[in-house]
Amino acid sequence: MDSMEPKVSIIIPYYNCKEFIGDCLNSVINQSYNNLEIIIINDGSSHHDTAEIESLINDSRIVYLKNDQTRGVAFSRNLGLERATGDYVYFLDCDDLLFGNAITYLAEHIGKHPAIGAYSKKLVRPSDFLQTSNSTDITVTRDNPEHFFKDMSILNVLIHKDFIREYNLNFSNKTLGYTDLTGIIPFVLYVKDLPRLNIETYFKRERNDPITNPGISQRELSADLRDFTEVMIGLYKTQGETGRVREYLDKVFLHYYRRNVMNLYQQKEDFDSNYMLLSNAAAHLNVKAISSQPMHTKRELKLLKAGNKRSFSKVLRLHAEVLELKNALGVTRIKKYIYKKILLKLPLKNNYIVFESFLGKNYSDSPRNIYEYIIENNLDFKCIWVFTDKRRKIPGNAKVVKRFSLAYYYYFAVSKYWINNMRQPLHLVKRDGNVFLETWHGTPLKKLVFDMKDIYSANPRYKSDFYHQSRAWDYLLSPNKYSSEVFKSAFKFDKEMLEYGYPRNDILYAPDKEVISNRVKGSIGIPHGKKVILYAPTWRDDEFYEPGKYKFNLRLDLKKMKEKLGDEYIIALRMHYFIADNLNVEEFEGFAYNVSKYDDIAELYLISDILITDYSSVFFDYANLQRPILFYTYDLDKYRDQLRGFYIDFENEAPGPLLRTSDEVIDNIINIDQVIKDKALAYAAFYEKFCSWHDGKATEKVVKRVLLDEKVL
Ligand code: C2G
């Protein structure tokens, strides 16, 4: 079978890269794609670096070439191209890595196209590259080459050898940097569009020590600018006749200019020579391309193009000053300034309480129950709720403030009590006299903070941030004995733990829970007579856009579920509050309901007959209802062994079956009575261990202890 695979030549120029080449080569050798020719060109590396690469050449697919002296990446790539015997060519840098299926996926989808690309991921932490699994739901989009190559890089593109030969694709080796541009031109000239996979296949290392070991793109501005302008002027002169190439070059120039202009301004000692370089290149810029730029950029570029250095410097100085002023006057900064200098000095108000749940996104969780207890019992407190949406309406007469508004800072400064179910922002200052009740938001399954070894999530300072934030907590709620132990170790929490169970779960023991359930069903529009499946998965540390904004790929086959289960059930889909992707369930109207924006998940527990979850703490709460739970854990190995690690023996203690496929989920729902029987013993043990503190009175106990200073029995 393997011999049927077309051959792929991977070309790796190697220059003084001994720290990274091992990982790079391993990622190539371990590709799921077999028919590879791995061409390494040692570009006159030092003795040590040469020794390192030569010790790693132990795969018969490697072709090892050596330049007589250092000749640059373009020269080496050209040499690689001459020697390549593959049907396809792929360039890889010696400090980067490939995802395990990179070549397989690219080769599978290239078809008759001259080339195909995919996305690259930044490699910042050493642990980043452990997660190389990719979704198999691959989609392909098409881009014109100008857009496809907007980052000026030829990396992570699988190229047909015929295209390379036909259009004599090679790299100009006059400079060290920006040589990729010369190899990209044939695509801009001769190709209408190029396909790109929606997945990541390539890790681009961000070198963390640009001081002692800079990458080519990390050199100082003058060197970078010299290469850039030389390549650009060369291309404008030789290829600029063609409209498309010219447009592409204009785009590249403008992109470069915007990224570097402030840097140019700050490097005063090299200003004259840098200016000359830039101005020579700008002379080729098409006036039309400038017209779409912001005002000040437009003025600068016109002067640069005209070679008017004096006026250019003046306009640039003004631009820099405006930016500086904007920064200094940032509204957020002013609010923080007022908070620190003025608001924190106002007297504390002893009956003020600020509430927040899930970063101001919801009116929910234990803070909500505590608040409602206060209003139902007419306790003498002024309550303030924080929301991201200032127009939120909630019961009672709480003051609603917008997160990070001036009012928010005012109330955080003067309120004696803070009640929050997550961490507070780092810049909030706890004052003498403040009482902080941290309710937290779930029994931990997945390891937390100091019990985690590596951090895969978006914030690399997670541990130290957490430590500083949690020093402000006076009370921490615990739902069960097990959580108390975990919180002590994971949070290094050593103040008062309130061991009453979660206020948020009181509703699950409420005498009128049937009535509440009917009301909730009505408000969502769930048809009478239909049973409800709730799907409430958690988030994945390694799948994010930015801190706090995570991706989620729905792996349930809703179409099949509707077919097989739709007569009896509807499914309510509840994404975690970190998930930024929007679910679109229009196609499954009447069967699938997106309840991600519904405030309080506890009310969704009440309406559901079966819960499907994964590693989310929701099952610890749901188990209070003693209704069936299915675990859809399609990525169990990665999640448990790599991303987080679990505190419990999940497979044995889980109160429901662990399922890997959507079909298994469907089968288990069809046979739910059998599942209940099979899991009865495990469920009972689970309930005893995790739910037994709950008696429907947790809220009352918490309020008495923290707010009324009464003894709790
Ligand atoms: N949640 C929700 N909808 C989901 C998932 C979670 O409303 N689809 C709410 C539940 O109240 C849940 C809480 O968010 O208990 C925490 O969610 P987890 O999935 O457990 O994840 P995380 O926010 O990382 O909480 O110690 C608790 C956890 O370990 C950390």
Side-chain angles (χ1 to χ4, degrees):
M1 185 66 200
D2 284 344
S3 60
M4 302 292 287
E5 289 178 332
K7 192 199 277 183
V8 175
S9 302
I10 300 192
I11 298 178
I12 314 173
Y14 175 79
Y15 176 67
N16 288 356
C17 196
K18 60 177 178 324
E19 313 79 320
F20 305 126
I21 188 66
D23 289 341
C24 169
L25 258 186
N26 269 338
S27 80
V28 178
I29 286 164
N30 297 326
Q31 282 294 297
S32 54
Y33 197 89
N34 231 326
N35 195 5
L36 298 176
E37 172 184 60
I38 307 162
I39 305 179
I40 303 172
I41 308 100
N42 183 351
D43 190 24
S45 296
S46 75
H47 176 65
H48 283 309
D49 291 86
T50 297
E52 176 67 17
I53 180 78
E54 291 180 356
S55 74
L56 295 173
I57 297 175
N58 47 19
D59 187 299
S60 61
R61 296 171 299 175
I62 297 180
V63 177
Y64 178 60
L65 308 172
K66 257 169 130 173
N67 292 338
D68 52 351
Q69 62 185 80
T70 303
R71 291 180 175 274
V73 60
F75 181 94
S76 305
R77 283 181 181 164
N78 290 341
L79 185 65
L81 281 176
E82 273 169 34
R83 295 291 294 268
T85 61
D87 306 280
Y88 303 109
V89 166
Y90 183 89
F91 295 104
L92 170 65
D93 278 356
C94 57
D95 51 355
D96 295 340
L97 285 92
L98 296 183
F99 280 56
N101 288 326
I103 303 296
T104 302
Y105 289 147
L106 291 165
E108 242 169 41
H109 291 86
I110 189 167
K112 296 221 170 322
H113 297 281
I116 186 168
Y119 289 93
S120 298
K121 187 175 170 67
K122 276 190 197 163
L123 177 57
V124 186
R125 312 170 190 89
S127 53
D128 282 348
F129 72 85
L130 290 175
Q131 43 115 167
T132 56
S133 76
N134 244 321
S135 140
T136 42
D137 309 334
I138 296 179
T139 54
V140 186
T141 49
R142 299 270 190 93
D143 263 338
N144 60 33
E146 292 89 315
H147 194 250
F148 188 95
F149 289 110
K150 75 173 188 313
D151 61 352
M152 302 183 248
S153 170
I154 194 88
L155 294 173
N156 198 16
V157 183
L158 185 72
I159 312 170
H160 233 290
K161 189 66 178 305
D162 295 346
F163 183 83
I164 295 178
R165 267 203 225 104
E166 192 171 342
Y167 297 106
N168 188 27
L169 188 158
N170 64 19
F171 303 91
S172 156
N173 63 2
K174 292 202 194 108
T175 58
L176 188 57
Y178 299 98
T179 58
D180 290 27
L181 279 171
T182 54
I184 289 169
I185 296 298
F187 291 102
V188 180
L189 273 172
Y190 304 114
V191 178
K192 199 168 126 268
D193 55 31
L194 287 167
R196 194 202 306 266
L197 306 182
N198 66 330
I199 52 165
E200 288 161 337
T201 45
Y202 191 102
F203 279 109
K204 184 93 203 87
R205 186 183 301 272
E206 293 258 293
R207 295 212 188 170
N208 62 14
D209 186 2
I211 312 298
T212 45
N213 189 8
I216 294 178
S217 61
Q218 290 176 320
R219 293 172 307 161
E220 46 143 346
L221 181 65
S222 299
D224 191 75
L225 193 58
R226 236 184 342 262
D227 285 359
F228 177 70
T229 50
E230 184 175 339
V231 173
M232 290 295 282
I233 293 172
L235 288 173
Y236 269 122
K237 283 189 178 157
T238 55
Q239 315 272 355
E241 309 276 270
T242 323
R244 279 184 77 180
V245 175
R246 209 171 152 167
E247 257 175 53
Y248 175 62
L249 295 175
D250 288 345
K251 236 187 219 162
V252 165
F253 181 89
L254 293 172
H255 182 66
Y256 184 90
Y257 179 80
R258 282 195 307 266
R259 228 181 37 203
N260 291 290
V261 64
M262 278 305 128
N263 207 354
L264 170 77
Y265 172 75
Q266 277 147 10
Q267 302 203 352
K268 302 245 180 333
E269 64 286 11
D270 295 328
F271 184 81
D272 286 352
S273 53
N274 287 343
Y275 166 82
M276 275 310 291
L277 292 169
L278 209 54
S279 169
N280 288 342
H284 298 270
L285 199 60
N286 191 342
V287 194
K288 268 205 234 135
I290 301 180
S291 62
S292 57
Q293 295 299 304
M295 257 274 286
H296 51 81
T297 315
K298 222 182 326 190
R299 283 177 68 197
E300 285 160 22
L301 287 168
K302 278 188 183 153
L303 294 165
L304 194 64
K305 202 170 149 51
N308 190 341
K309 188 167 99 187
R310 269 193 60 197
S311 308
F312 173 78
S313 321
K314 265 199 208 152
V315 175
L316 192 58
R317 187 170 340 116
L318 193 71
H319 182 181
E321 274 164 17
V322 169
L323 276 185
E324 216 174 298
L325 203 70
K326 260 193 182 162
N327 261 341
L329 288 183
V331 182
T332 320
R333 281 170 196 233
I334 292 182
K335 280 188 270 191
K336 284 187 193 167
Y337 182 87
I338 297 175
Y339 170 62
K340 292 223 162 98
K341 300 278 173 194
I342 303 170
L343 302 179
L344 282 174
K345 294 184 179 134
L346 298 173
L348 261 192
K349 310 229 182 225
N350 282 332
N351 66 338
Y352 280 28
I353 312 175
V354 199
F355 295 86
E356 186 180 298
S357 174
F358 294 123
L359 311 167
K361 291 182 188 167
N362 299 113
Y363 173 61
S364 69
D365 209 343
S366 296
R368 169 188 171 166
N369 300 84
I370 295 169
Y371 167 70
E372 288 185 355
Y373 183 92
I374 292 172
I375 50 179
E376 275 154 25
N377 291 281
N378 287 317
L379 300 182
D380 181 23
F381 288 100
K382 179 177 170 76
C383 298
I384 298 102
W385 264 91
V386 174
F387 289 112
T388 50
D389 177 5
K390 162 111 184 62
R391 291 157 309 179
R392 282 301 307 254
K393 293 263 174 295
I394 59 169
N397 52 5
K399 169 94 190 151
V400 169
V401 296
K402 186 173 161 55
R403 203 157 187 253
F404 301 133
S405 64
L406 200 55
Y408 164 93
Y409 285 111
Y410 168 75
Y411 284 109
F412 263 105
V414 303
S415 301
K416 172 172 176 180
Y417 297 100
W418 298 359
I419 300 183
N420 196 344
N421 74 341
M422 288 188 60
R423 287 178 284 153
Q424 74 283 14
L426 267 168
H427 64 274
L428 286 186
V429 179
K430 189 179 174 209
R431 304 171 59 176
D432 280 349
N434 264 147
V435 175
F436 193 150
L437 167 60
E438 172 59 48
T439 68
W440 198 241
H441 50 268
T443 296
L445 165 69
K446 45 199 192 194
K447 289 216 167 150
L448 289 167
V449 211
F450 291 103
D451 292 337
M452 288 165 82
K453 205 161 140 263
D454 292 314
I455 303 298
Y456 290 87
S457 65
N459 175 9
R461 292 183 312 276
Y462 176 55
K463 287 188 186 178
S464 73
D465 284 0
F466 205 113
Y467 183 76
H468 293 297
Q469 288 157 317
S470 54
R471 291 319 87 187
W473 304 350
D474 297 297
Y475 300 98
L476 176 61
L477 298 191
S478 170
N480 40 51
K481 187 85 209 136
Y482 152 89
S483 295
S484 299
E485 297 311 317
V486 171
F487 292 157
K488 276 182 215 156
S489 104
F491 299 167
K492 298 188 187 297
F493 182 79
D494 54 9
K495 294 198 202 145
E496 189 170 336
M497 193 88 71
L498 302 183
E499 302 188 306
Y500 312 136
Y502 271 155
R504 69 177 183 185
N505 289 337
D506 284 350
I507 189 175
L508 308 178
Y509 292 87
D512 59 345
K513 62 186 184 195
E514 270 304 305
V515 181
I516 304 174
S517 168
N518 287 334
R519 176 180 52 74
V520 174
K521 277 187 180 168
S523 78
I524 301 174
I526 293 174
H528 278 299
K530 282 281 166 78
K531 289 191 194 155
V532 177
I533 304 162
L534 174 65
Y535 179 46
T538 195
W539 54 291
R540 270 97 184 127
D541 301 62
D542 59 337
E543 293 172 25
F544 55 81
Y545 298 106
E546 58 181 83
K549 292 208 167 116
Y550 285 76
K551 304 177 186 174
F552 189 80
N553 194 351
L554 185 69
R555 303 274 201 99
L556 282 177
D557 185 343
L558 291 182
K559 191 159 173 269
K560 214 175 203 179
M561 288 187 100
K562 184 175 176 186
E563 257 165 51
K564 304 253 175 177
L565 307 168
D567 289 343
E568 198 179 344
Y569 292 98
I570 67 96
I571 184 161
L573 303 165
R574 164 74 172 195
M575 294 304 104
H576 188 274
Y577 50 91
F578 278 170
I579 301 301
D581 287 329
N582 260 332
L583 279 182
N584 186 352
V585 291
E586 264 169 38
E587 213 188 310
F588 307 102
E589 211 190 317
F591 174 67
Y593 294 75
N594 183 0
V595 289
S596 303
K597 295 230 153 67
Y598 195 86
D599 255 325
D600 204 345
I601 193 170
E603 292 183 349
L604 300 175
Y605 298 153
L606 277 187
I607 64 164
S608 56
D609 298 276
I610 300 175
L611 170 73
I612 308 172
T613 184
D614 45 20
Y615 325 104
S616 176
S617 59
V618 298
F619 67 92
F620 291 103
D621 302 288
Y622 190 79
N624 281 286
L625 289 169
Q626 308 201 38
R627 296 178 193 165
I629 304 175
L630 305 177
F631 293 86
Y632 185 27
T633 48
Y634 50 84
D635 54 355
L636 176 66
D637 303 333
K638 176 178 103 171
Y639 201 94
R640 178 195 49 203
D641 302 336
Q642 196 196 96
L643 290 185
R644 281 290 183 125
F646 294 149
Y647 285 110
I648 62 173
D649 178 358
F650 187 41
E651 282 102 320
N652 284 318
E653 290 194 56
L658 272 50
L659 311 169
R660 299 270 180 172
T661 64
S662 189
D663 283 346
E664 280 185 81
V665 172
I666 297 174
D667 285 349
N668 276 265
I669 294 174
I670 294 172
N671 298 309
I672 199 69
D673 291 335
Q674 191 56 42
V675 172
I676 295 171
K677 270 192 210 137
D678 292 347
K679 286 289 168 184
L681 272 179
Y683 209 131
F686 183 88
Y687 184 93
E688 182 51 35
K689 181 166 171 188
F690 298 104
C691 306
S692 57
W693 282 359
H694 290 90
D695 59 0
K697 297 210 160 27
T699 314
E700 182 185 330
K701 294 179 198 169
V702 172
V703 171
K704 285 190 169 154
R705 175 70 192 102
V706 179
L707 300 175
L708 304 177
D709 208 11
E710 285 178 20
K711 255 210 142 39
V712 177
L713 298 174

